[in-house]
Amino acid sequence: MSTVGVLVVLSAFFGRLRVGPVRAAVAGNRLFSALLAAGIALRVLVVLGFPPALYFNDSFDFLRIADDPFPHPLRPSGYGLFLWALKPFHSLGLVTAIQHAAIVGIAVVGYVALVRNFGVRRWVAALAVAPLLLDAYQAELEHLVLSDTVFTVLILGALLLLARPGASGWRRAGLVGALLGVASVTRTVGVPLFVIALLYLLLRRARWTSFAALAAAFVLPLGGYAVWFHSDYGRFGMSGVDGIFLWGRTSTFADCDRHTPPAELAHLCPYGSPDGRPAASHQIWVENSPTGWTNGKPFDEKTNEQAQEFALWAIRTQPLDYVKTVSYDFFVRTFSWKRHRYPTVGTEARYHFPTRPWAQGEKPLPLVGGGDRVSVVRDYEHGAGRTHIVDPFAGWLRAYQKHVFVRGTMLGAVLLAGLAGLFRRRGRKEIALLWAAAVTLLAVPPVTVDFDYRYMLPAVPFACFAAALAWGRRRTGEAGPEAAPAEPEDAEVQPAGA
């Protein structure tokens, strides 16, 4: 699909945002209308400046899944199946157009939900969705062939639906569970959000049917995926690298010179002094890594199990070093004002609008499952799929990205505002749901794998929405053009002793 065709798709989608209740909610707020127009314009520039798509290391694995679906041993295949569904169009430009449209769409849904369902002032709601619409790194992430955009839309839609006032009946709970289940086979960090959803239903004192529907709908896609995984590998699971990733987490501090590991695990000791080692996630994939990584070959089950045993041994043996490492990644890296070239210069560079296409090389790297980085793109696109850098649009976007994005310190301030809102009487359950989701999305990667800047972005809207609910609601009895009719209280909540 040509760039013109992609713009037609975007125009058709964005044109539909003007109808119905969405138009009524948007029309009365010039601030949100301006932000929405700016967000759409930003994405049009991205489509014009970098057709058809941008690539990350993981992109080629997802395209390999899409070309001939199979349960990938290194990463969940949910996003690969999304690409497979769009494969008949043979257009990576269409893929990125849909991803751009999806984020704009969920921003509109979020704004309408804040105003109509939660009584948030329109200007506050507009500011809450501004990062989704205007953050340059968010727009760039949408143009990458990566799972993060689909994951963000699924989890944000699920938790906004769950938090919506009114009865948390089994139908709504089932839909929330299904969305979280699909999200979890897209990125496994979605699994802890299911636990948060269960706790929220407990706070709402929902009936057992809601819990059952939530759990059943969540387990269905995970169970189906685990059975699919078993058909290829002879064991139930989501991936074959959970132990490998945890090994990477401990590889930055595990000190086999000071502490002697079990003899059967000694070969997994990281090389060199802890002070001079590469980033945790990078050590898994470097040449001559103790994990034995080779391009095109998955880790075997024994290596994954031994890596997990080594990681647990390192955590037991050096618990303070583990806490120190996780705390530094969570508190310092996440909330730093300045972005750093972490986990590697090359990895962080993929989050910037490029000055030249990413060259695949004369000898493209082989992929798990067969093929290589060039062949899977050709099979999917029926063409080279090479990124084109089109000026002046590309230059404008690079200049924009230097200044317009949510810095870590800003995110920390928003999280503190949401935390403070938990001490207010009004809406504490909904604030807690969204705030806990934001913290979970930020904390799980440093605890289990490593810090990465792209893992921050799905947490941003949850933090902003929690702060908006805490401090942006109209006072009781306050009228205004944005006032929505009061919704009934949860019909399933029964008074004590009833």
Side-chain angles (χ1 to χ4, degrees):
M1 181 178 289
S2 66
T3 301
V4 173
V6 170
L7 291 176
V8 169
V9 172
L10 285 170
S11 299
F13 174 82
F14 294 139
R16 294 182 63 83
L17 295 179
R18 297 174 57 84
V19 301
V22 172
R23 181 178 182 181
V26 172
N29 188 346
R30 293 181 179 177
L31 174 59
F32 179 70
S33 297
L35 292 173
L36 180 61
I40 294 173
L42 172 62
R43 284 153 180 84
V44 170
L45 288 178
V46 176
V47 169
L48 291 172
F50 302 96
L54 297 173
Y55 299 98
F56 194 78
N57 294 315
D58 301 1
S59 301
F60 308 102
D61 288 327
F62 291 126
L63 288 169
R64 176 62 188 84
I65 297 166
D67 287 337
D68 185 14
F70 72 107
H72 202 283
L74 302 183
R75 58 196 89 258
S77 298
Y79 180 67
L81 296 177
F82 166 77
L83 295 177
W84 170 76
L86 296 174
K87 187 182 178 183
F89 298 98
H90 300 296
S91 174
L92 289 168
L94 177 62
V95 170
T96 54
I98 290 174
Q99 291 180 172
H100 288 307
I103 290 296
V104 173
I106 201 67
V108 173
V109 169
Y111 169 80
V112 173
L114 289 175
V115 173
R116 293 173 63 86
N117 296 334
F118 302 107
V120 174
R121 291 180 174 87
R122 288 178 182 251
W123 69 269
V124 176
L127 293 179
V129 299
L132 268 177
L133 292 171
L134 301 183
D135 188 298
Y137 288 97
Q138 174 62 52
E140 197 270 352
L141 186 63
E142 296 160 28
H143 210 60
L144 284 161
V145 182
L146 275 180
S147 60
D148 302 73
T149 298
V150 172
F151 176 75
T152 298
V153 171
L154 289 169
I155 59 173
L156 190 54
L159 295 192
L160 284 175
L161 179 62
L162 184 63
R164 180 184 173 192
S168 299
W170 67 268
R171 292 181 181 85
R172 189 200 298 189
L175 180 55
V176 170
L179 290 171
L180 291 178
V182 174
S184 297
V185 299
T186 304
R187 276 190 60 198
T188 53
V189 73
V191 174
L193 298 181
F194 168 69
V195 178
I196 292 174
L198 282 177
L199 294 175
Y200 178 74
L201 289 183
L202 280 174
L203 290 176
R204 291 286 297 267
R205 291 184 288 170
R207 290 179 179 174
W208 71 268
T209 52
S210 295
F211 288 96
L214 177 74
F218 176 76
V219 169
L220 186 61
L222 269 73
Y225 190 91
V227 170
W228 188 33
F229 193 90
H230 181 274
S231 68
D232 273 33
Y233 305 107
R235 54 193 170 88
F236 296 100
M238 295 288 289
S239 77
V241 290
D242 48 347
I244 294 288
F245 284 150
L246 190 61
W247 175 89
R249 173 69 289 178
T250 61
S251 66
T252 54
F253 65 82
D255 192 339
C256 295
D257 291 333
R258 292 172 47 207
H259 309 281
T260 303
E264 67 274 14
L265 304 178
H267 65 285
L268 287 167
C269 287
Y271 301 137
S273 168
D275 294 334
R277 292 173 187 165
S281 54
H282 184 59
Q283 290 197 58
I284 297 171
W285 317 105
V286 294
E287 187 176 358
N288 297 323
S289 169
T291 62
W293 166 247
T294 301
N295 287 302
K297 296 183 179 180
F299 297 104
D300 60 67
E301 184 177 0
K302 181 179 179 181
T303 299
N304 185 58
E305 291 176 351
Q306 288 187 330
Q308 185 175 60
E309 292 175 14
F310 181 93
L312 295 175
W313 166 81
I315 293 172
R316 290 194 304 268
T317 305
Q318 300 174 248
L320 294 181
D321 290 326
Y322 173 70
V323 171
K324 180 181 177 181
T325 300
V326 170
S327 298
Y328 185 85
D329 278 1
F330 180 76
F331 291 105
V332 179
R333 295 193 196 279
T334 302
F335 303 116
S336 173
W337 178 261
K338 184 180 178 181
R339 287 177 67 102
H340 299 279
R341 310 308 293 269
Y342 188 90
T344 69
V345 172
T347 297
E348 202 273 336
R350 302 285 174 247
Y351 307 140
H352 295 259
F353 291 113
T355 57
R356 60 180 183 273
W358 187 9
Q360 299 304 316
E362 296 181 359
K363 295 182 178 180
L365 294 176
L367 298 173
V368 173
D372 56 55
R373 290 185 171 187
V374 171
S375 67
V376 294
V377 176
R378 288 189 178 275
D379 288 346
Y380 191 89
E381 180 80 357
H382 282 193
R386 182 180 176 87
T387 303
H388 297 281
I389 311 297
V390 182
D391 285 317
F393 313 113
W396 293 346
L397 289 165
R398 286 193 294 268
Y400 178 84
Q401 193 172 33
K402 292 179 180 179
H403 304 288
V404 186
F405 62 94
V406 176
R407 295 181 180 271
T409 310
M410 297 175 182
L411 176 58
V414 173
L415 279 173
L416 289 176
L419 178 62
L422 295 176
F423 297 94
R424 309 189 77 189
R425 294 185 60 185
R426 189 180 180 193
R428 283 185 291 185
K429 298 183 185 69
E430 293 78 13
I431 297 169
L433 172 68
L434 298 173
W435 189 87
V439 172
T440 299
L441 291 169
L442 292 172
V444 169
V447 169
T448 59
V449 185
D450 197 1
F451 170 83
D452 195 301
Y453 282 106
R454 72 182 171 100
Y455 298 154
M456 291 174 56
L457 288 173
V460 172
F462 289 102
C464 292
F465 287 13
L469 289 183
W471 304 101
R473 288 186 173 186
R474 296 182 301 277
R475 295 184 180 89
T476 303
E478 180 181 348
E482 69 271 26
E487 295 203 33
E489 294 296 322
D490 192 333
E492 297 183 352
V493 174
Q494 300 296 328

